[in-house]
Amino acid sequence: MPTCPLMAQQGEGESLPLITHLECGMTSIEKSSHNEGPPSPESNATVEQTSWNITKTCMGTGTLALPYAASEGGIIFTIACIATISLWNAYTVDRLLRCLDFIESTNDENGGGEVLMTKRDKSNNDAKCYGGNDDRNEDEDAIVTGTIPPGTSTFGQVAWHAFGIKGLFAVDCAMLILLLGVIIAYQDAITSLMGNTPFSTNSSFGDAIVTLLIITPLSCIQNLTLLSRTSKLGIFILYFTFSVIYFYGFITRGDNNTTFDDKTVSYLPSRGLTGISACFGVIIFGYGATPLTYNFRECMTEPSKMMKATILALGFISITYTLFGVGVVMVFRGHVFDGDVLQVLPNGWMPVVVRLAMVFVVVVTVPLIVLPCAEIVEGLIVRGKGSFYAENIVTTRVGVCVFCTAFSVLVPNFVSVLSLIGCFCVALASLVFPPLFYVTLALRSKNRFYDDRNGQEWMKLLLKRTDLAFDIIMLVWGLFATMFSSFLTLKKMLSQTECETVGGLPADA
């Protein structure tokens, strides 16, 4: 992946962690409260640059699993799934942007970065977030204000305004699981790619240890700017990789010893709901930029054109994913894709160069994901102390690398891990959180002083808001798709792991 799926880029290419640091001057909320004014020097990304940055963030190593998704979902369903998820993400980005309108009105009335809550919630928040004593009175329901923890990103602020400290904690946990899952999937990818090169140890366990010894020192580097710039070569290497794959595919089609049968191409899901969930997981994984909407917006010279940049990016991504997924399956008719697409390449110097190039991209990208992952862990520990960095930050980064390596050894299937992370983590952050935050903030904006702990009251207000019917449907649909696809994918992955494991370790270890 050219960049971490949870890292945005400015016009000049500097990385922006999702949860912790906010470069580019003020946050979206602060800019709005100051009527935006002239853009800061750091906010120099045009619509085209922002669209390209979104594209680079989405298109990464996960695209190597697109032919697997197309073979699992079938040609027709895969094309429909790509189009649907593109439109779905356009909707969720729009809802995230609309959330700012509700928060701006709250800030205007309350004088800035504060959120209304009851005294009970306030004292509970102080005890959890700022080390205060939990001496709340259960009968105190007066409205007071709570201060958002320092260093909270705009996405985290939206969660805070919607659900208080619990919302912010949920976002942090969701992003932490997502980042850990991405690291595990990428380590599995490195192991898979290295397996067919002269540099392999001929053991998935040995390759995993070598990977750990490489990425751990890189993850502990204080300044990752060079790695960030180097990783941006990934999108060009990705296009080169698929060009080579198409080249070998057409050569194979011209081989007189090879026969092709249109019947070997599946146009509908070949394994029913299991195939649908696998296809959905891989594709949604490639649309992981939605939680970064505010990061991209904060770096634009014209933030009001964020939707235009998003639509341009989603259109380009959907076309590219169709070519990388459906196109490859059509060229390699008869081939069973059960892993990354590079498995279709024969032995030879060119395929080895392609595999090593992809290994290089993933190796320099993983530390960029380890950094925000470690910062979230530190942030959960030291939040409220004014900094997300602790003295043992290096220890945290090493711990993240070791944990993910151990998990990748236990679950060495790249496409299965990728699909599960897509079905659960990416779908949760991209398809569930945006409409959930929007609906909650919409209710709060019209009923500022209602007690949100009363379920019956909340449902009554919800039923009265017919204008939110579509958003409620999308929220329910997102929840169902997330939970159901995650269950099927996890069930399949556990079944595969049980079959491939002997004595607690992979059979080839």
Side-chain angles (χ1 to χ4, degrees), residues 386-442:
S387 174
F388 278 81
Y389 284 97
E391 296 179 355
N392 60 343
I393 185 64
V394 173
T395 304
T396 306
R397 296 185 190 183
V398 173
V400 169
C401 293
V402 173
F403 171 81
C404 292
T405 300
F407 207 96
S408 68
V409 171
L410 295 176
V411 188
N413 193 312
F414 165 62
V415 293
S416 295
V417 175
L418 195 78
S419 181
L420 179 62
I421 297 303
C423 287
F424 182 71
C425 299
V426 179
L428 189 66
S430 298
L431 306 182
V432 176
F433 282 168
L436 177 63
F437 294 159
Y438 177 77
V439 169
T440 303
L441 291 173

Side-chain angles (χ1 to χ4, degrees), residues 186-188 190-195 197-219 356 359 362-364 366-367 401-402 405-406 408-409:
Y186 281 11
Q187 288 187 306
D188 281 338
I190 294 174
T191 302
S192 175
L193 295 172
M194 286 287 292
T197 68
F199 301 94
S200 174
T201 63
N202 297 321
S203 166
S204 60
F205 180 77
D207 290 342
I209 296 300
V210 172
T211 301
L212 175 65
L213 295 177
I214 296 175
I215 65 174
T216 301
L218 293 176
S219 301
L356 291 178
V359 168
V362 180
V363 165
V364 299
V366 168
C401 293
V402 173
T405 300
S408 68
V409 171

Side-chain angles (χ1 to χ4, degrees), residues 210-478:
V210 172
T211 301
L212 175 65
L213 295 177
I214 296 175
I215 65 174
T216 301
L218 293 176
S219 301
C220 295
I221 296 175
Q222 185 67 26
N223 190 343
L224 298 178
T225 302
L226 179 61
L227 289 180
S228 177
R229 292 174 179 174
T230 304
S231 70
K232 283 185 283 186
L233 295 172
I235 194 167
F236 301 105
I237 294 177
L238 200 62
Y239 275 100
F240 171 72
T241 297
F242 276 91
S243 297
V244 172
I245 291 171
Y246 267 101
F247 173 74
Y248 276 99
F250 285 122
I251 289 180
T252 304
R253 287 177 63 86
D255 189 350
N256 294 328
N257 295 325
T258 304
T259 58
F260 296 94
D261 185 356
D262 288 345
K263 293 181 180 180
T264 61
V265 178
S266 176
Y267 291 91
L268 296 175
S270 57
R271 292 192 294 165
L273 294 177
T274 302
I276 291 175
S277 65
C279 179
F280 172 78
V282 171
I283 293 175
I284 190 63
F285 183 90
Y287 287 86
T290 297
L292 291 172
T293 296
Y294 300 129
N295 300 65
F296 291 120
R297 183 181 184 273
E298 288 154 15
C299 296
M300 295 183 68
T301 54
E302 298 179 275
S304 60
K305 295 184 178 180
M306 179 61 197
M307 273 307 301
K308 180 179 179 181
T310 301
I311 292 173
L312 288 174
L314 291 176
F316 180 79
I317 292 169
S318 62
I319 294 174
T320 302
Y321 284 1
T322 301
L323 292 175
F324 286 1
V326 174
V328 171
V329 170
M330 294 294 291
V331 171
F332 287 89
R333 290 186 178 131
H335 182 84
V336 178
F337 291 90
D338 58 356
D340 66 83
V341 66
L342 295 184
Q343 293 179 2
V344 303
L345 296 179
N347 295 325
W349 69 269
M350 179 61 75
V352 170
V353 170
V354 170
R355 291 187 179 97
L356 291 178
M358 288 303 304
V359 168
F360 171 77
V361 172
V362 180
V363 165
V364 299
T365 300
V366 168
L368 301 177
I369 312 175
V370 172
L371 172 61
C373 184
E375 287 181 335
I376 293 177
V377 174
E378 294 292 337
L380 292 172
I381 297 174
V382 303
R383 174 170 290 151
K385 297 182 180 179
S387 174
F388 278 81
Y389 284 97
E391 296 179 355
N392 60 343
I393 185 64
V394 173
T395 304
T396 306
R397 296 185 190 183
V398 173
V400 169
C401 293
V402 173
F403 171 81
C404 292
T405 300
F407 207 96
S408 68
V409 171
L410 295 176
V411 188
N413 193 312
F414 165 62
V415 293
S416 295
V417 175
L418 195 78
S419 181
L420 179 62
I421 297 303
C423 287
F424 182 71
C425 299
V426 179
L428 189 66
S430 298
L431 306 182
V432 176
F433 282 168
L436 177 63
F437 294 159
Y438 177 77
V439 169
T440 303
L441 291 173
L443 291 175
R444 285 185 180 276
S445 67
K446 297 297 182 181
N447 305 275
R448 186 64 52 79
F449 298 100
Y450 81 96
D451 184 356
D452 61 337
R453 290 162 298 165
N454 189 325
Q456 293 181 350
E457 178 74 8
W458 194 87
M459 287 302 299
K460 289 180 180 179
L461 293 171
L462 193 62
L463 293 175
K464 292 180 180 179
R465 296 295 301 273
T466 56
D467 57 309
L468 298 176
F470 179 74
D471 299 290
I472 296 172
I473 292 174
M474 294 300 292
L475 173 58
V476 174
W477 185 17

Side-chain angles (χ1 to χ4, degrees), residues 41-79:
E42 296 85 357
S43 304
N44 57 3
T46 63
V47 172
E48 292 75 17
Q49 288 174 327
T50 302
S51 178
W52 181 239
N53 286 336
I54 295 173
T55 301
K56 290 189 295 183
T57 302
C58 291
M59 291 178 55
T61 308
T63 56
L64 297 179
L66 286 174
Y68 164 79
S71 62
E72 288 288 316
I75 302 300
I76 296 177
F77 177 80
T78 301
I79 295 175

